[in-house]
Amino acid sequence: MELYEKTASELSSMLKNKECSSVEITESVYNRIDKVESKVNSYITICKESAIEKAKEVDNAFAEGKELSPLAGIPIAVKDNISTKGIRTTCASKMLENYVPPFNATVVDKINSADMVITGKLNMDEFAMGSSTENSFFKKTCNPHDTSRVPGGSSGGSAASVASGEAIVSLGSDTGGSIRQPSSYCGVIGLKPTYSSVSRYGLVAFASSLDQIGPIARSVEDIAMLYSVICGRDKMDATSKVREYPDFKASLSPNIKGLRIGIPAEYYGEGIDDSVKSEVMNAVKEFEKNGAIVKNISLPSTEYAIKAYYIISSAEASSNLARFDGVKYGYRAENYENLIDMYEKTRSEGFGDEVKRRIMLGTFVLSSGYYDAYYKRAKLVQQKIKQEFNDTFNDVDIIITPTAPSKAFKIGENSDNPLKMYAADVCTVPVNIAGLPGLNIPCGYDNGMPIGLQIIGREFSEQTIFNAAYSYEKTVGNLCRIPSLD
Amino acid sequence: MDIDIKYIAKLSRISINSNDEQKFRKNMQEIVDMVNGLPEINEELALDKNNAMILRDDIAETGKFSREELMKNAPEVQAGCLVVPKTVE
């Protein structure tokens, strides 16, 4: 077994026992990148020199007997909408093709303080808008399990890199499913944390009231470890919560006896593939065998979630993306007649079609005469969806649903049909709308393509979610498989 | 409902050429049709008291970034200033 195939927690023990060095692990990951990147296309920017440098530093610190964090020396790759000082951060857009941030996102400061090794920046849908990573200005990432299929999105590079062994763990961001859906398509584990638990400072904003950064990995332990590194209050993000977090990995327990699991009928209806339903329900039986209590529940407003989501997220996006005007940073059109013409040409040439659609939708729903009919109504639906989840969590501890309605679709299959593309997020958007934590874990394969289930919990109940996932992983074995890609 | 795509594009500071106009109009029409039909909920929007933001004291912090560093990403700079087209006649 090569080092890149191992999980972060395995590598962490090996480093402590001096069975390998961080340089060896990092080189193993780069060898894997050299071998498969031309097929998978996970990365936009590769930072080999600085990574090897950092790995050497960590090895020296270990040799001197220094006490380091559990993830010290472990390679990590970062989605390209998370600011990295001195490393180009493009959001997969022509608009930011040459943008080099003068500061680090708080999560990047945190992974640096934990002495993790940043291997590079990952491909995504432009400004995180999309469900297939086909909206990247630079390239299309392929699903490692079948390179004719999409990896999902918008964190397609984050999921594909971990699934293919081009990264041990990664960071993604999730506004409507952008960590969980690609994790489902690529057969890895991904967490969308509770809103306000991870600082958004330095995450290029899409929809600020929904965006969260989260970890992607190949084991529940790894997710727990990385989440411990990135969560916590940050004075630079006024929405981040002041609270104490446990050591999630140390608190892992596979005992789920008496855990009440809700199965909402609305997530198993029309539009969800039979193969997905049956794999998820088979998995639910495993939870039941381990002592969980399964209850049928109903979340009746689910059908409105996707409508409310596209109104709220696009409204926020239209405002957030107003900053890209060709003045202070980023792309500027070459020929223009006056200031307004410069704005319009810069934005028309710098943004791709999907970003333009969302900005225009957001502008429309906020425009005079339409605000009450769209935005206000969507916010009321959001309130209702939150209430329904809250009421439900009086009766159950977690909710299990499919993560995506189907396995990964073919590249190009939904490109001309935005509505079909939006439907890929139907199971994940309600979780963002309600600000809750949600985790994807693989639960089966259909003709070689991974299928994932989603565990949703109460606000700040990540430990409960991790324990449920851990119990499942212990029972059925780790279902994250790295394909050979030969 | 008919969407005045030219007007929305103008508000968005995006110019759409005539080739793309048809495509965007159709896309937007379909998306707006999709988001239509949200139920009327007779409630007030309540502030979530559990999620009050904690703001920093209003104290200027200096010295974090140099002017030069911040100007590095600008499309056009002259004498340490951002260059923009003439805005006042």
Side-chain angles (χ1 to χ4, degrees), chain A residues 121-141:
Chain A
K121 303 297 295 289
L122 297 163
N123 200 20
M124 54 186 278
D125 284 301
E126 184 180 5
F127 285 104
M129 296 173 189
S131 309
S132 68
T133 313
E134 290 167 291
N135 295 337
S136 166
F137 170 67
F138 299 101
K139 50 171 135 183
K140 290 184 173 45
T141 298

Side-chain angles (χ1 to χ4, degrees), chain B residues 27-87:
Chain B
N27 284 162
M28 285 292 295
Q29 194 68 57
E30 285 170 0
I31 296 169
V32 170
D33 287 345
M34 185 274 281
V35 301
N36 263 319
L38 278 178
E40 184 100 44
I41 297 173
N42 280 323
E43 281 174 31
E44 288 297 307
L45 271 176
L47 276 179
D48 189 349
K49 289 193 195 91
N50 290 322
N51 280 321
M53 285 194 273
I54 304 161
L55 303 176
R56 275 176 284 150
D57 293 334
D58 191 13
I59 300 167
E61 289 177 17
T62 52
K64 238 176 151 182
F65 302 101
S66 70
R67 185 186 183 93
E68 201 188 19
E69 239 179 323
L70 293 177
M71 302 292 261
K72 251 188 201 162
N73 282 295
E76 204 184 337
V77 176
Q78 253 177 42
C81 296
L82 297 167
V83 179
V84 290
K86 196 173 174 185
T87 53

Side-chain angles (χ1 to χ4, degrees), chain A residues 31-42:
Chain A
N31 288 340
R32 181 64 177 166
I33 291 173
D34 287 342
K35 199 172 158 220
V36 303
E37 175 62 6
S38 61
K39 291 174 187 158
V40 183
N41 287 312
S42 302

Side-chain angles (χ1 to χ4, degrees), chain A residues 264-438:
Chain A
E266 293 79 5
Y267 288 75
Y268 293 82
E270 209 183 316
I272 311 292
D273 283 1
D274 287 340
S275 60
V276 172
K277 278 184 226 171
S278 70
E279 290 294 345
V280 174
M281 285 317 291
N282 283 342
V284 169
K285 282 183 199 134
E286 298 294 335
F287 286 89
E288 214 170 5
K289 275 188 215 159
N290 288 338
I293 301 153
V294 176
K295 297 182 173 191
N296 291 320
I297 58 166
S298 174
L299 294 162
S301 295
T302 302
E303 64 170 305
Y304 302 119
I306 205 129
K307 295 174 196 279
Y309 171 76
Y310 276 94
I311 292 170
I312 294 167
S313 65
S314 301
E316 291 184 27
S318 71
S319 168
N320 273 327
L321 273 65
R323 71 190 66 176
F324 299 104
D325 57 6
V327 175
K328 296 180 287 302
Y329 51 87
Y331 178 78
R332 178 187 285 190
E334 264 174 38
N335 303 307
Y336 45 82
E337 280 161 15
N338 53 44
L339 187 71
I340 301 293
D341 193 42
M342 184 190 86
Y343 290 155
E344 290 185 347
K345 289 212 168 94
T346 293
R347 291 163 65 78
S348 304
E349 293 166 19
F351 290 139
D353 281 359
E354 183 59 24
V355 174
K356 289 178 192 167
R357 278 194 285 269
R358 307 253 189 141
I359 291 174
M360 286 194 287
L361 177 64
T363 304
F364 170 72
V365 299
L366 292 176
S367 63
S368 173
Y370 294 107
Y371 174 86
D372 280 353
Y374 289 99
Y375 187 72
K376 191 176 174 203
R377 220 176 252 208
K379 290 298 282 183
L380 283 165
V381 167
Q382 176 178 34
Q383 189 166 293
K384 179 117 181 141
I385 289 171
K386 272 187 190 170
Q387 276 165 11
E388 281 178 12
F389 271 114
N390 282 344
D391 292 347
T392 302
F393 282 123
N394 290 327
D395 300 322
V396 301
D397 301 306
I398 57 168
I399 294 169
I400 292 183
T401 73
T403 305
S406 65
K407 60 188 182 187
F409 48 87
K410 292 269 187 190
I411 292 172
E413 197 177 318
N414 294 341
S415 306
D416 299 331
N417 189 340
L419 290 186
K420 256 190 108 183
M421 193 69 92
Y422 296 174
D425 298 332
V426 66
C427 302
T428 46
V429 294
V431 178
N432 300 73
I433 291 276
L436 302 173

